[in-house]
Structures are given as C-alpha cells and as structure tokens.
Amino acid sequence: MSELPLPTSVVYPGSAGSYTSEAAERLYPTLEATSAGSFADVYAAVHDGSADVGVLPIENTLAGIVADTCNLIADGALAIVAETIIHIPHCLAGVPGSTTTGVTRIHSHPVALAQCRVFLDGRFEEIGAPTTADAARIVAEQGDPAWAAIASPAAAQRYGLEILESDISDHLENMTRFVAIARTPLDYTEGVAWKTALRLVTGHQPGALHDAIEPLRYHK
C-alpha cells in the first residue's frame, strides 16, 4: 500500500484525555495531536488545510456507527487513510469525596451513555457532552459531588477526579474503531488487501438491501 507523507498536524474533537485523543496518539505517536473543537471543526480543519489529518470515532461494538462522523464524511471530499481500534474501559468519575450513592447527575457523550445502559438503569439525570473528556472537565470545574462523568480513567486522572466505579460498560468487550481522515487518499496498489467503506441508499422495498450487497458474495 502506498503511504501518504507523514503529516505534520493532527487534530481530534473535544478535550485532551478523550478516547479520540488516545487514538490520535496511537496512530501518530511522533506528533502532538491537538483539539480542534467539535467533530465538525475537525472535518473543517482538514478540509480547508488547517490540519493534515483528523481523527474521529466511526463505529462501536455496543452502540453501532457514530452518526456524526458518518454524516460528515458522506460527501467523499475527505478520505479515510488509517484506522485503529481501542478498548473503551468506561468508568464513573466524580470530584474527590463524592460517592456513587450521592450522584444524581451524569455527564458524558451520548454514545458513552448508550454503552452503559445496564449501569445507568434510569437512576440518574443524563446530560450529553461533546466528548467523554469534556464531561470529565465539566464535572471537575463544577465541583459538585452530585455530578459525575462517564469517561476514561485517563480523563479522570487528567482532571483530578476520583474513579467511583470501574468498567461500567454493558459489555467488557467495548471497542471503538477510530479513523484518520485526510484530503488526499492512499494510492491503490494492486495485490494489496484493502478495506473499503461503502455508503449506499436502497429502494424502500423488501429485499432491497440483500439485492444491493449480494454481488459482493461472488467477488471475493
């Protein structure tokens, strides 16, 4: 596979300490990745040339596709050039001295909340945040022991929170796939196994999806 020149700037959404920042560091360990704000800000930074590469989550084993990312890259203006898969060990984190029984309000990214339904069980007020790291930052800044965040252990440590509960995902095999997007796609190399992202719209009739993907069965 032909590789792109090593990028000089990498951006990710949300605050430092997010799972996406971890993915960016794993994909580009020699570079200092920086936050670009929202998912849309990451896309815009790469699209207009402010950054060479952006890293976004695209799929989770529990919650499915990350719609925000899929919607942004649907026009095909940017290409997926790399990917990595990271284990997501969600924890419940609160300010020092807080307890799980005293928590009434939980902040996190909506996908993270969806991954912890068994733990949440309707017991808390759920507040969406741009990323899990932003949730940890918000809880730390508020300083209220009744507030907590679902985030990574790294984010909890970064923002001075205590881990109240560990591994609270509905399934321990909670994995998220992250992709790197760039303006220039990789060059096709014959004989190399490629992974292709396919987006299509079918007609609204029985069997439409089957008819669309069945040919793939015969072209391995």
Side-chain angles (χ1 to χ4, degrees), residues 100-133:
T100 303
T101 55
V103 170
T104 60
R105 181 174 186 173
I106 292 180
H107 294 251
S108 198
H109 188 274
V111 172
L113 294 170
Q115 294 165 358
C116 302
R117 285 293 163 216
V118 174
F119 172 80
L120 293 171
D121 194 30
R123 297 179 296 160
F124 309 95
E125 180 185 6
E126 300 173 18
I127 307 297
T131 69
T132 53

Side-chain angles (χ1 to χ4, degrees), residues 82-196:
E83 69 170 16
T84 188
I85 297 174
I86 290 180
H87 176 234
I88 308 297
H90 287 316
C91 69
L92 183 71
V95 297
S98 60
T99 63
T100 303
T101 55
V103 170
T104 60
R105 181 174 186 173
I106 292 180
H107 294 251
S108 198
H109 188 274
V111 172
L113 294 170
Q115 294 165 358
C116 302
R117 285 293 163 216
V118 174
F119 172 80
L120 293 171
D121 194 30
R123 297 179 296 160
F124 309 95
E125 180 185 6
E126 300 173 18
I127 307 297
T131 69
T132 53
D134 284 309
R137 176 182 54 78
I138 290 167
V139 169
E141 291 174 350
Q142 179 65 22
D144 189 335
W147 289 24
I150 291 177
S152 69
Q157 181 179 14
R158 174 179 285 272
Y159 295 105
L161 301 179
E162 291 184 350
I163 295 178
L164 308 180
E165 304 285 346
S166 298
D167 294 323
I168 61 172
S169 297
D170 291 346
H171 197 287
L172 293 180
E173 294 299 319
N174 184 12
M175 312 291 286
T176 295
R177 183 161 63 100
F178 296 84
V179 294
I181 55 174
R183 293 181 299 282
T184 305
L186 296 171
D187 293 332
Y188 173 73
T189 302
E190 188 173 355
V192 174
W194 285 75
K195 180 178 285 187
T196 301

